[in-house]
Amino acid sequence: MTPTETPINTGRVIIVGAGLAAQYAALKLSPHPVLMISPEALGAGASSAWAQGGVAAAMDPADSADAHARDTVTAGAGTVDPGVATSVTAEARDHILDLTGLGTPFDRTSDGSYVLSREAAHSFARVVRVQGDQAGAEIMRALTVQVREADHIQVLEGVMATALEVTQGRVTGVAVARCDQGQSASVTLRGAAVLLAGGGSGGLYALTTNPPRIRGQVIGMAARAGAQIADAEFVQFHPTAMACGLDPAPLATEALRGEGATLVNRLGARFMPDAHPDAELAPRDIVARAVYAQTQQGLAPALDTRAALGAKILTDFPAVAAACQQAGLDPLTQVIPVAAAAHYHMGGVATDGEGATTLPGLWACGEVASTGLHGANRLASNGLLEALVYGRRCALAIDAALPSPADAAPVTLPDLPAAETPDPALVARLRQAMTDGAGVIRTAEGLTRTLTEIAAIEAAQPDCEALANMTATATLIAAAALMRRESRGAHFRSDYPQADGATGTRSLMTLKDALAIRDTTTRKEPA
């Protein structure tokens, strides 16, 4: 869909997204004028606000950044960049102190120390939290106050990005459309630089913990512009999404298992001790596959918090308690039904150590990016940490690439006519296809079938840019999964159940590569 209006020259750094990475980067870009593109009201609709666990950081004197880095590398199943892990974990403490100074009310002990939780695959309690399970919401609340008050930041709410403008190989702008009441035609905004911070891809699956709009559109937008995508096949499935019929599925945070909650089936039997020595605190991919197997066998997996937490769940984990209430469950007397749901995309737009992508003029941070930190399986609560570290790094790199800040007038969008929106039936087909063929357990046959279905969905509504962004990312996930003929971390192939060695290589793919794989794989033989 070609933008309908004359491009608007903003003179601003344009940030696509309004979650933690986007807001943190925007604040750090001061005094450069910034324009944030937010589909929802600022601070709403971002995955960051839904994050329950917290931020991983070695805050205890007995812990260390090196130990945190080792746990990150181990959880990542052989594809974490060790240098990235070392540098990111070394910065973690500074960001916790920075967020504290910005007003985040982290849980503290009577002596002022941070309350720390242990989560899966961590060798130490190092997850800094807020009110038990309110970390994402409270960090976002603190940042949103700062962003609202910042003179250098303008926020366009109810607006979504639909495409990148590339001029002579360089990203020069972003096409945006109104999305608060249906979707409008697009207009191109040109800026001094473009930063993508628009979330992941969980909503491409039928069962997800992600907010409704998070469906891979920003990764797809970058891929359609020619950016290289890394590790697309590595999608993390959270093992304890609440299976209560809601879309998105509420999350029963991993911290519950850190407090001693156990996974049981409808027979009342625990199943994790047989799956891994760390039982409920095994790496997420192992727990997710065990939960998925119980579901497939009709054994109704559930999380039992009754003995470990009792009434503490109501006060210490208010988000979980509220979700239970919404679902008509009493966690004091009942177990919580759970299922493995698409939660976090380790893959994304490939970046270097400063957040620069393979397209000049374009940077990326947060879940939309793939930095090498997460490898094949993200260590719990490293997602918010990566968003903070790379949010600041992108801001510093953009600052270094730009001339001295100049004043920029506020941007006003013109009246835009209505435009085609994705057919809900096609989006539902896409989500089901991804769950069926590119989900927790994968095969060549299932992935091929998924690629065929994605192509048919694309062809059914060829002129819808928002749908094209979704199908681009879905194609990359399925094609990369098909090419990785091994099982590693969150990527499990039942036809290749073993890892191809202790260490592996990261996948790097353009959309052109993925489409070639799709075309070759799905091409019918002549009659």
Side-chain angles (χ1 to χ4, degrees):
M1 182 169 61
T2 304
T4 60
E5 301 283 332
T6 302
I8 299 171
N9 293 308
T10 72
R12 294 172 178 264
V13 177
I14 300 173
I15 299 181
V16 176
L20 186 147
Q23 293 200 29
Y24 201 59
L27 290 169
K28 299 302 180 185
L29 274 163
S30 177
H32 290 282
V34 169
L35 181 66
M36 292 182 68
I37 308 301
S38 178
E40 315 283 351
L42 182 63
S47 296
S48 310
W50 292 25
Q52 292 183 1
V55 185
M59 304 299 288
D60 190 307
D63 194 10
S64 70
D66 286 344
H68 185 181
R70 285 195 298 273
D71 289 346
T72 298
V73 170
T74 300
T79 56
V80 170
D81 183 323
V84 170
T86 297
S87 70
V88 169
T89 57
E91 288 187 34
R93 180 182 178 85
D94 288 345
H95 289 286
I96 297 300
L97 298 177
D98 190 18
L99 288 177
T100 302
L102 290 171
T104 304
F106 289 114
D107 293 349
R108 311 290 278 269
T109 64
S110 57
D111 67 0
S113 301
Y114 290 88
V115 174
L116 303 170
S117 297
R118 185 184 171 203
E119 294 188 358
H122 285 275
S123 60
F124 213 89
R126 63 165 70 94
V127 179
V128 186
R129 66 190 201 185
V130 185
Q131 298 171 33
D133 59 8
Q134 298 292 295
E138 290 298 327
I139 293 170
M140 285 290 289
R141 189 171 291 118
L143 290 179
T144 298
V145 169
Q146 298 288 329
V147 169
R148 289 283 191 204
E149 294 177 350
D151 291 338
H152 71 289
I153 301 172
Q154 180 189 359
V155 183
L156 286 180
E157 295 171 302
V159 174
M160 66 182 288
T162 59
L164 294 175
E165 179 187 65
V166 181
T167 306
Q168 296 181 339
R170 184 177 187 85
V171 173
T172 51
V174 181
V176 303
R178 297 186 187 277
C179 60
D180 47 357
Q181 296 179 348
Q183 187 171 325
S184 74
S186 298
V187 60
T188 297
L189 304 178
R190 289 180 177 155
V194 176
L195 171 59
L196 301 182
S201 307
L204 287 174
Y205 290 81
L207 187 61
T208 181
T209 63
N210 284 196
R213 286 193 194 270
I214 308 298
R215 291 179 177 164
Q217 299 97 318
V218 181
I219 294 173
M221 195 170 69
R224 292 175 65 216
Q228 195 171 60
I229 308 301
D231 296 340
E233 67 272 35
F234 294 123
V235 178
Q236 188 171 70
F237 296 87
H238 199 291
T240 54
M242 292 173 59
C244 55
L246 296 175
D247 180 26
L251 185 64
T253 175
E254 204 158 85
L256 294 165
R257 284 175 279 139
E259 295 288 327
T262 56
L263 285 163
V264 298
N265 58 29
R266 63 178 174 79
L267 305 176
R270 288 179 66 190
F271 51 87
M272 282 311 303
D274 291 335
H276 192 275
D278 290 337
E280 279 79 6
L281 292 178
R284 277 187 180 173
D285 63 304
I286 293 170
V287 184
R289 283 194 292 277
V291 167
Y292 180 79
Q294 295 284 314
T295 300
Q296 294 299 100
Q297 295 167 36
L299 290 172
L303 187 68
D304 189 349
T305 67
R306 294 172 297 182
L309 285 153
K312 282 178 59 182
I313 193 172
L314 304 179
T315 54
D316 292 8
F317 298 94
V320 176
C324 287
Q325 183 178 30
Q326 184 182 4
L329 290 168
D330 180 4
L332 304 188
T333 60
Q334 297 172 283
V335 296
I336 303 170
V338 295
H343 181 61
Y344 189 93
H345 196 178
M346 278 79 73
V349 184
T351 73
D352 65 12
E354 307 306 316
T357 74
T358 56
L359 293 177
L362 182 69
W363 285 259
C365 60
E367 194 175 346
V368 74
S370 182
T371 66
L373 177 67
H374 301 312
N377 197 40
R378 176 183 65 115
L379 181 65
S381 291
N382 265 0
L384 294 185
L385 172 61
E386 183 196 48
L388 293 165
V389 170
Y390 278 86
R392 181 163 69 182
R393 288 185 184 181
C394 284
L396 293 173
I398 292 170
D399 173 67
L402 297 181
S404 299
D407 291 336
V411 174
T412 302
L413 295 186
D415 291 333
L416 297 166
E420 190 174 16
T421 59
D423 181 343
L426 291 177
V427 175
R429 269 180 69 185
L430 177 62
R431 297 177 72 193
Q432 194 59 53
M434 292 296 287
T435 292
D436 292 344
V440 178
I441 296 178
R442 301 159 171 182
T443 64
E445 180 183 2
L447 290 163
T448 300
R449 192 165 53 244
T450 297
L451 286 166
T452 301
E453 180 73 344
I454 295 168
I457 290 165
E458 252 177 33
Q461 197 177 10
D463 298 323
C464 180
E465 200 131 43
L467 182 64
N469 289 333
M470 295 182 213
T471 57
T473 302
T475 299
L476 282 153
I477 292 170
L482 184 63
M483 291 297 98
R484 188 172 288 277
R485 299 181 179 93
E486 64 164 348
S487 290
R488 186 175 295 279
H491 168 74
F492 187 82
R493 290 278 300 263
S494 59
D495 48 356
Y496 293 95
Q498 302 301 318
D500 187 12
T503 59
T505 56
R506 298 179 66 197
S507 68
L508 294 169
M509 189 176 287
T510 64
L511 181 57
K512 182 179 179 181
D513 298 332
L515 290 172
I517 292 166
R518 187 177 83 179
D519 291 345
T520 301
T521 303
T522 61
R523 187 179 297 126
K524 294 180 180 178
E525 295 296 325

